[in-house]
Amino acid sequence: FITPSINYQCYHFQYDNRIMAKQLLDTGFELWVPPLAPEKDDGLPTFEIIGTDAQFIQIPLKPGEKTSCMSGAMAYMSEHVKMAVKFGGLKGMFGRIVGGGSLFLVEYTNEGSEDGYISMTPDYPGVIVPIDMRQYEEVYAVRDSYLCSLSFETGVDTNVSAGMNPTSSPWACCFSGVGFIVQSIKQGDYSFLQAQGTVIIKTLVEGEE
């Protein structure tokens, strides 16, 4: 286990070197720059993303704190972090499967009296994209994008289910490679998505497609 202080320094080093990202030519796309994690009251980051092309996320857990992830995402954890399986009802399980996720959500809780930690990683080489869910009512992603989530502040569990592709054209769904079904993610503090390759972003202006 790498100490939190070392992890935090690596996190800053990695991100500071990417602040120089600029617009890609004249297309309006930009290289995505991962945000710095907010700090807890004791100065530790809420989460730490470590690595480059095959990243993992490490989450400090105070006594009683918990996090959720899809089955098979956990890489390692401290001694007193305990696992529980969440069913979420038949509708919830069906929605996760159709959305490309696992049958169950796995919840890890620090049941000890001291600070603990847990780490998750995607099941393929890639980068981890943190999304502040408090800024969005709902996030649509391609199937099997969801990795894990936090709900320290809101106390509301993240809802992961299947959603319909919001495109206006059925033909676009058929031939775009995305399909009719996408993954719908709602609520919680942060959700972490898994992606491959280089992540770029573009903000569409009103009327732009």
Side-chain angles (χ1 to χ4, degrees):
F1 171 59
I2 304 174
T3 61
S5 60
I6 296 177
N7 280 343
Y8 198 43
Q9 292 170 6
C10 292
Y11 188 88
H12 276 293
F13 178 78
Q14 176 189 350
Y15 287 7
D16 289 346
N17 276 285
R18 298 180 66 181
I19 297 300
M20 300 300 293
K22 296 181 179 180
Q23 288 193 346
L24 300 176
L25 302 177
D26 296 324
T27 63
F29 286 94
E30 297 179 356
L31 287 172
W32 173 72
V33 179
L36 291 175
E39 294 184 355
K40 294 186 175 183
D41 294 338
D42 57 5
L44 284 177
T46 305
F47 59 86
E48 303 159 278
I49 297 176
I50 304 169
T52 54
D53 297 328
Q55 295 182 337
F56 62 94
I57 179 172
Q58 183 170 277
I59 302 170
L61 294 175
K62 291 183 175 296
E65 288 185 337
K66 60 184 179 181
T67 181
S68 299
C69 67
M70 287 296 183
S71 61
M74 193 275 291
Y76 59 83
M77 61 185 181
S78 58
E79 179 181 5
H80 297 292
V81 176
K82 304 301 180 182
M83 179 185 69
V85 175
K86 298 178 63 177
F87 296 93
L90 183 61
K91 181 179 179 182
M93 289 190 294
F94 179 77
R96 285 193 295 272
I97 295 174
V98 175
S102 58
L103 182 62
F104 309 110
L105 274 179
V106 185
E107 186 175 87
Y108 294 91
T109 304
N110 182 5
E111 297 182 356
S113 58
E114 299 180 353
D115 290 354
Y117 55 86
I118 187 169
S119 174
M120 283 88 162
T121 188
D123 55 5
Y124 51 78
V127 298
I128 299 174
V129 180
I131 305 292
D132 188 346
M133 298 302 297
R134 293 163 296 186
Q135 299 181 11
Y136 306 98
E137 182 176 345
E138 184 175 11
V139 171
Y140 289 111
V142 296
R143 298 175 74 249
D144 198 28
S145 292
Y146 173 81
L147 177 65
C148 60
S149 57
L150 304 175
S151 56
F152 295 156
E153 293 187 12
T154 62
V156 180
D157 292 337
T158 300
N159 181 281
V160 182
S161 61
M164 296 300 297
N165 192 327
T167 181
S168 58
S169 170
W171 292 107
C173 292
C174 293
F175 300 107
S176 66
V178 178
F180 286 101
I181 305 299
V182 294
Q183 202 164 47
S184 169
I185 305 167
K186 302 177 182 178
Q187 302 174 326
D189 293 355
Y190 276 90
S191 286
F192 302 91
L193 309 183
Q194 47 193 357
Q196 291 179 298
T198 301
V199 180
I200 59 175
I201 60 173
K202 183 177 183 180
T203 302
L204 300 179
V205 299
E206 185 176 355
E208 186 177 8
E209 298 182 355

